[in-house]
Amino acid sequence: MDKEFYFGIVLGMLGGALVAANSFKVRKAVKEGQEQVMESIANLDSKRKAKTQE
């Protein structure tokens, strides 16, 4: 009984650590992806303006 209880506690701690680490990575990846999309939209917009001015 005690072994199973301690095993459950350790497993829960490891699972919690993985969830916390992954959520940070996911938020960082989403933020970087949004920045890349905004940069590419800005580049396309500036190219379009340059073509219309010619």
Side-chain angles (χ1 to χ4, degrees), residues 2 12-14 20 23 25 28-29 35-37 44-45 52:
D2 286 337
M13 289 171 54
L14 289 174
S23 80
K25 289 179 184 177
K28 186 177 177 183
E35 289 174 359
Q36 289 177 353
V37 168
L44 288 174
D45 192 38
T52 57

Side-chain angles (χ1 to χ4, degrees), residues 21-49:
N22 284 334
S23 80
F24 175 74
K25 289 179 184 177
V26 168
R27 281 184 297 188
K28 186 177 177 183
V30 167
K31 189 175 182 180
E32 289 174 355
Q34 288 175 342
E35 289 174 359
Q36 289 177 353
V37 168
M38 294 302 287
E39 287 176 7
S40 61
I41 289 173
N43 288 339
L44 288 174
D45 192 38
S46 64
K47 287 180 183 178
R48 186 171 27 144
K49 285 181 182 179

